[in-house]
Amino acid sequence: MALTRLSQDPFRVTIERILSPTEALVNGRPMILAGTNNYLGLTFDPQCIEAAVQAVREQGTGTTGSRMANGSFGGHLALEQELAEFFGRRWCSVFSTGYLANLGVIAALTGPGDVILIDADCHASIYDGCRMSGAEVIRFRHNDTADLHKRLRRLGKRCANTLIIVEGLYSMLGDRAALAEIAAAKREYGAYLLVDEAHSLGVLGERGRGLSEEAGVEDSVDFIVGTFSKSLGATGGFCVSDHPEVDLARYVSRPYIFTASPCPSVIASTRVALHKLQAEPELRVRLWNNARRLYDGLKGLGFSLGPEPSPIIAARFGEKEETIVFWNGLLDQGVYVNMILPPAAPDGGSLLRCSVSAAHTSEQVDRICEAFASVKMALSL
Amino acid sequence: MAPYETILPQLYEILKPFAQDGQTLSDETELVADLDLDSMKVMEILLEVEERFDISIPLNVIPDVRTIRDFARQIEQLTEHHS
């Protein structure tokens, strides 16, 4: 197999020791982490850590079961209340991971006889949730609102039973959904709209509520799904909405019922991180300064990037083998990024995807650019 | 509704560029086994078929499509629903 002949297995990299939100020891040497989705850099925040430690001491290491069977801890309910307030919505349900949030929400909201219209570049968790729902699943071309209109027109009266699903920021190229136009289409045809703000929570919008806020269409978005595992630095997921179905989903959602609820330390650090996301807008400023610095730097080096600066910055490569060799070259230079190979990347190509953090220093961002330049020169690309 | 007999030749026309050298397409030709289509090519073909017949093909029906005949029958049903 080309992968293992050319490289160590990129899907089995061992982080021997994590040193900070942006540094680790890999293969015995220090590495700048540029592929973590740790957008606000809160994983080592002293207050988040202290809250988690205190929760472990007071409430133990785990809940050892489902909320349906074992009951909800006070922290679960408090976090749901705080998320609902943050988004200005009536209802919130918390799930054990972001993946489970999409599975649980999509499969609970839709069923046989319904239609789900998804952007072709949606995350695997959305595809899996669609499959689990039993609804009819139709893809529209990535961010192509004309194609979305066409498919809504074809559905006719069935639009009333149609859920459109898009993402705030797409995880492969870091591009935004054309949400103002998509929300307008949703209103025109009378469908429902779910936005997965996994990568845009804490990243977009004046208050960090995501693309729905930035695009000024929160009123048209029926359901927002998000995760704790990126900007909030922990693990878990949620859905907020004004529709009571999100609360009722607890009774029918297998991914909510048949798994252990988030442990107290995760809930505790997430609550502090959510507070910081709101109280420290300077984190977002630092994140975007770093994002623009890296985007401009890599663009200046001649790499083909996504359409706009974003904390997700992916360099496109044509050949898989070239991508693998380049990724290894970056590791040798002390920079860790994500390698995306076909068919995971859009258009059948390969990507080396960076994500920047508010915790990166300008010097680290420059080092990432230097590593890309150095490997590019060594490979005569 | 587009009848099966009119769908089939149009489907051959769309699939012809994906045929191997010298390969003759029939309604029994298997899309993955005979044409060696990967998931990216399947998606490309789906988009073209959707445009040609002004239909949306649900992802749910794809596992049931093995041969060109299966594909044409699905298109027939979808155009029926749409008309």
Side-chain angles (χ1 to χ4, degrees):
Chain A
M1 183 184 173
L3 195 60
T4 45
R5 196 176 65 243
L6 293 169
S7 154
Q8 67 165 307
D9 185 345
F11 309 115
R12 297 173 70 103
V13 171
T14 302
I15 307 290
E16 285 148 10
R17 197 171 149 217
I18 183 90
L19 303 169
S20 75
T22 60
E23 294 163 303
L25 283 182
V26 179
N27 295 339
R29 47 180 306 199
M31 199 71 61
I32 297 175
L33 298 175
T36 60
N37 304 124
N38 191 353
Y39 299 123
L40 300 184
L42 292 175
T43 49
F44 279 77
D45 178 87
Q47 288 168 291
C48 290
I49 290 173
E50 187 48 41
V53 168
Q54 196 180 333
V56 168
R57 291 218 169 97
E58 291 175 0
Q59 301 172 58
T61 52
T63 63
T64 65
S66 160
R67 288 170 67 177
M68 187 71 102
N70 293 20
S72 293
F73 283 31
H76 294 136
L77 299 173
L79 178 56
E80 284 173 343
Q81 177 71 30
E82 286 157 10
L83 281 164
E85 282 169 10
F86 172 59
F87 282 98
R89 305 277 177 157
R90 282 190 71 191
W91 307 102
C92 174
S93 287
V94 160
F95 292 79
S96 300
T97 68
Y99 177 86
L100 291 177
N102 269 329
L103 246 61
V105 169
I106 295 168
L109 293 176
T110 60
D114 296 325
V115 180
I116 308 175
L117 264 176
I118 59 172
D119 184 289
D121 282 6
C122 276
H123 187 259
S125 57
I126 292 172
Y127 276 89
D128 291 355
C130 289
R131 194 176 303 163
M132 201 169 163
S133 77
E136 198 173 295
V137 184
I138 295 171
R139 303 184 343 157
F140 63 95
R141 290 175 199 257
H142 175 53
N143 242 350
D144 186 334
T145 48
D147 194 42
L148 173 64
H149 269 273
K150 195 185 297 173
R151 291 171 191 279
L152 285 164
R153 173 182 57 75
R154 286 173 187 152
L155 285 168
K157 288 179 182 165
R158 298 186 73 198
C159 284
N161 292 330
T162 296
L163 177 65
I164 303 167
I165 305 182
V166 299
E167 297 184 19
L169 277 178
Y170 286 91
S171 59
M172 289 294 138
L173 296 174
D175 51 328
R176 293 167 167 81
L179 199 55
E181 292 88 342
I182 291 166
K186 170 256 173 178
R187 290 193 299 269
E188 184 182 337
Y189 289 91
Y192 293 90
L193 177 59
L194 183 155
V195 180
D196 183 343
E197 302 271 19
H199 290 271
S200 35
L201 168 66
V203 171
L204 298 178
E206 199 178 330
R207 286 163 290 187
R209 300 202 313 205
L211 182 63
S212 308
E213 183 195 7
E214 185 188 74
V217 295
E218 287 176 295
D219 288 350
S220 298
V221 176
D222 297 279
F223 307 97
I224 289 177
V225 171
T227 179
F228 307 152
S229 64
K230 303 187 190 321
S231 286
L232 298 175
T235 185
F238 67 91
C239 178
V240 292
S241 177
D242 285 329
H243 296 285
E245 285 79 1
V246 163
D247 193 48
L248 297 171
R250 297 178 202 273
Y251 298 101
V252 296
S253 173
R254 299 173 69 86
Y256 177 88
I257 298 168
F258 295 105
T259 195
S261 60
C263 57
S265 57
V266 163
I267 294 293
S269 75
T270 300
R271 290 179 66 191
V272 175
L274 180 64
H275 172 73
K276 283 181 167 280
L277 184 156
Q278 298 167 79
E280 299 178 20
E282 62 273 19
L283 291 172
R284 225 160 12 261
V285 173
R286 282 214 297 273
L287 170 69
W288 277 97
N289 285 342
N290 286 338
R292 280 186 282 268
R293 193 178 186 95
L294 184 59
Y295 187 90
D296 292 344
L298 294 183
K299 198 165 188 188
L301 289 167
F303 287 97
S304 168
L305 307 177
E308 56 189 333
S310 133
I312 302 163
I313 299 160
R316 296 171 189 261
F317 289 79
E319 297 302 320
K320 192 161 62 178
E321 288 72 18
E322 181 183 281
T323 316
I324 295 167
V325 171
F326 204 108
W327 179 81
N328 276 277
L330 289 176
L331 272 191
D332 291 341
Q333 292 282 325
V335 171
Y336 179 80
V337 303
N338 307 126
M339 178 161 64
I340 319 284
L341 300 175
D347 309 325
S350 301
L351 302 173
L352 290 182
R353 181 183 65 179
C354 309
S355 59
V356 294
S357 169
H360 279 123
T361 62
S362 304
E363 292 72 27
Q364 286 176 319
V365 175
D366 291 345
R367 271 286 302 126
I368 298 166
C369 286
E370 285 161 20
F372 268 87
S374 167
V375 178
K376 185 172 190 253
M377 187 181 286
L379 298 178
S380 307
L381 297 176
Chain B
M1 172 186 171
Y4 180 80
E5 293 70 28
T6 64
I7 293 169
L8 208 53
Q10 296 184 69
L11 209 42
Y12 288 147
E13 190 187 321
I14 291 169
L15 293 171
K16 207 173 167 184
F18 299 94
Q20 320 289 320
D21 285 343
Q23 188 178 24
T24 310
L25 298 179
S26 78
D27 60 354
E28 288 181 8
T29 303
E30 294 195 13
L31 296 168
V32 174
D34 296 334
L35 295 181
D36 197 25
L37 298 179
D38 61 24
S39 58
M40 300 297 292
K41 283 182 190 160
V42 168
M43 288 304 157
E44 196 182 318
I45 289 165
L46 284 180
L47 289 170
E48 199 174 337
V49 168
E50 289 177 325
E51 287 295 316
R52 174 76 66 100
F53 295 97
D54 193 25
I55 53 172
S56 293
I57 302 173
L59 296 183
N60 320 51
V61 308
I62 294 172
D64 297 330
V65 174
R66 194 168 56 87
T67 62
I68 292 180
R69 184 193 297 122
D70 299 335
F71 201 3
R73 288 286 180 214
Q74 284 292 351
I75 294 167
E76 186 182 31
Q77 281 182 26
L78 289 165
T79 53
E80 186 178 13
H81 289 310
H82 190 52
S83 60

